[in-house]
Amino acid sequence: MKKIIFIMPPKRWFYGIDYANSKLIIKRLKKKYLFDVIEFNEIDIFLKKEKKIKDILKIIYYYFYYRLRKIDFVISLNSSYILYSNLKFQKKIKNFFADILNLKCIMRWDHINEQIPNIVLNIFDKYSIKDSQRIDDSRTFFFKYINSKNFLHFTSYHANNKFFTNRNLINFTYDKYKVKFRNLSLMFIFDKLRKSNFNNNQVAMIGYVIKKKLNFKKNFDVDLIKNGDNFYLIKNFQSLIKYSNYTYNLKKIRIIKKLNLNFYGLYPKKKFKIVDAYNFYENIGDYFLIINPNNPMNLTLTSKFYNIFLSGSFCLSEKPKEIPHILEKYKKYIFYKNEKDLKNKIQFYKKNLNFYYDLKDKLYKISKKYYESEIRNFENELINKNFFK
């Protein structure tokens, strides 16, 4: 039986969605694959700039506790939760699990163009790295000072994955930094695949909206976002993220106001708290259609898109820069260009239910193939007995 540490995100982060999904993944790892899973719920210790004596004692306790348990590897919902667990030791940045405990860490990258700069900026701030020691390209700093021989890099958005586009910033790492990304997903949200018909005529939008007005500089150079490499430059990153979030939020507010949509996932009148994070995708299947605006910083569709189809609902998504090959022939039906086009498509599906059901069935089957391929991939990568030998 493989013994693993699963790094848990704090419950309060991201409205509890990552915490709930982590619990579901752990349940599957234990029940189906018979892993001995040890949850680590203390990354708050490593986030503190100033550590108290009790924090140091906790770190020492976990060091000896894990040393005695003979752990096979460490994993989390995404790589950030592992990377936050670092210390400055002998003037070097050391990852507690990879460098100090010398454990293999499964690094699952999602939005890597946001994750790497965030980790680097966190380190700059936490350890008061001087300007003279900083490197403007966060990738260079990361792979020079933070990356570990025990980090095994994975992403579900691999260039050879037909369900996503090739235009993503995973590709740069092999040529420039000699880091190869393998393909790995954790699509364990579903205990069983759900193919259901909607039981109402409601159109909803997934995600969250920031209620307060977001201010943004009018003189911001919008062209910066056209080159994804700009996200990695520390001098640009924060303004690019603010611009992306501002634009993303603005799109959602406009859609809600113009189309009078429901807003699935969070209660607008109750400080935007999760309706039910554990049944998030299951409940989406009860809606006629889900709207998915794209965040400018996203470089390809996320697995959320396929999860919605897999849950028995239909997703109308804002047209991305590139469309996965497997969805190319359906692009005029599942991607909208603007709010007017979105409104027209909603009306079209309401008037053409036979076409709607047929299309939804085809997209469900595509999503099922994705789900099954990712399960096989997970088993080939992590259940294989020779993986860590």
Side-chain angles (χ1 to χ4, degrees), residues 305-338:
F305 183 77
Y306 295 103
N307 288 347
I308 293 170
F309 288 130
L310 199 57
S311 302
S313 188
F314 182 84
C315 185
L316 262 177
S317 185
E318 184 183 0
K319 193 173 182 180
K321 293 178 181 178
E322 290 188 31
I323 294 166
H325 177 70
I326 200 165
L327 297 175
E328 185 69 32
K329 66 179 178 180
Y330 303 109
K331 65 181 178 181
K332 67 178 180 179
Y333 302 115
I334 56 179
F335 298 108
Y336 65 90
K337 297 177 183 177
N338 49 43

Side-chain angles (χ1 to χ4, degrees), residues 5 60-71 96 99-103:
I5 299 172
I60 294 171
Y61 164 77
Y62 281 114
Y63 172 79
F64 286 105
Y65 177 74
Y66 290 138
R67 290 280 290 184
L68 294 171
R69 297 298 296 270
K70 295 183 179 179
I71 306 295
F96 179 68
D99 300 320
I100 296 174
L101 283 168
N102 195 30
L103 297 173

Side-chain angles (χ1 to χ4, degrees), residues 13 21 91 150 154 160 170-171 174 215 219 226 243 256 292 326 342 373:
W13 285 12
N21 285 344
K91 297 183 178 181
N150 281 327
F154 296 88
N160 296 324
I170 296 299
N171 299 331
Y174 183 72
N215 295 318
N219 61 349
K226 292 180 181 178
Y243 170 76
I256 289 172
N292 181 44
I326 200 165
L342 173 60
S373 69

Side-chain angles (χ1 to χ4, degrees), residues 6-21:
F6 198 104
I7 313 296
M8 297 295 292
K11 289 182 181 180
R12 67 183 184 276
W13 285 12
F14 196 52
Y15 300 95
I17 295 175
D18 278 7
Y19 184 86
N21 285 344

Side-chain angles (χ1 to χ4, degrees), residues 11-152:
K11 289 182 181 180
R12 67 183 184 276
W13 285 12
F14 196 52
Y15 300 95
I17 295 175
D18 278 7
Y19 184 86
N21 285 344
S22 295
K23 282 289 190 180
L24 291 171
I25 292 167
I26 289 170
K27 180 181 176 181
R28 172 62 76 91
L29 291 174
K30 287 181 175 180
K31 187 176 179 180
K32 182 174 177 62
Y33 299 115
L34 303 178
F35 277 53
D36 182 1
V37 183
I38 304 168
E39 292 183 26
F40 180 74
N41 290 282
E42 299 273 12
I43 64 170
D44 278 335
I45 302 173
F46 297 105
L47 296 173
K48 296 177 181 178
K49 195 169 185 178
E50 299 294 334
K51 293 178 177 58
K52 297 179 181 178
I53 293 176
K54 66 177 182 180
D55 298 320
I56 302 298
L57 290 175
K58 275 187 178 181
I59 292 171
I60 294 171
Y61 164 77
Y62 281 114
Y63 172 79
F64 286 105
Y65 177 74
Y66 290 138
R67 290 280 290 184
L68 294 171
R69 297 298 296 270
K70 295 183 179 179
I71 306 295
D72 286 289
F73 62 90
V74 181
I75 193 170
S76 64
L77 187 66
N78 68 59
S79 59
S80 294
Y81 300 130
I82 295 174
L83 289 167
Y84 280 126
S85 305
N86 59 62
L87 297 163
K88 195 171 185 181
F89 183 69
Q90 295 179 339
K91 297 183 178 181
K92 292 183 178 180
I93 309 300
K94 300 280 188 179
N95 184 272
F96 179 68
F97 297 100
D99 300 320
I100 296 174
L101 283 168
N102 195 30
L103 297 173
K104 299 292 184 184
C105 295
I106 307 301
M107 310 300 287
R108 290 192 60 255
W109 293 98
D110 191 356
H111 302 301
I112 192 169
N113 58 322
E114 182 183 9
Q115 289 172 296
I116 284 184
N118 263 328
I119 293 298
V120 171
L121 281 168
N122 175 266
I123 285 171
F124 283 174
D125 177 63
K126 187 164 59 174
Y127 302 120
S128 301
I129 305 293
K130 297 177 182 178
D131 290 344
S132 59
Q133 296 175 310
R134 297 186 180 199
I135 298 173
D136 190 45
D137 191 319
S138 59
R139 294 170 296 189
T140 303
F141 185 89
F142 180 89
F143 289 110
K144 187 174 182 180
Y145 297 112
I146 304 173
N147 195 34
S148 168
K149 62 179 175 61
N150 281 327
F151 287 167
L152 305 173

Side-chain angles (χ1 to χ4, degrees), residues 352-369:
N352 297 274
L353 289 178
N354 288 336
F355 179 84
Y356 164 82
Y357 284 126
D358 183 60
L359 179 61
K360 193 169 78 160
D361 186 61
K362 287 183 172 68
L363 294 169
Y364 169 83
K365 289 176 181 176
I366 288 173
S367 300
K368 186 179 178 183
K369 285 180 181 178

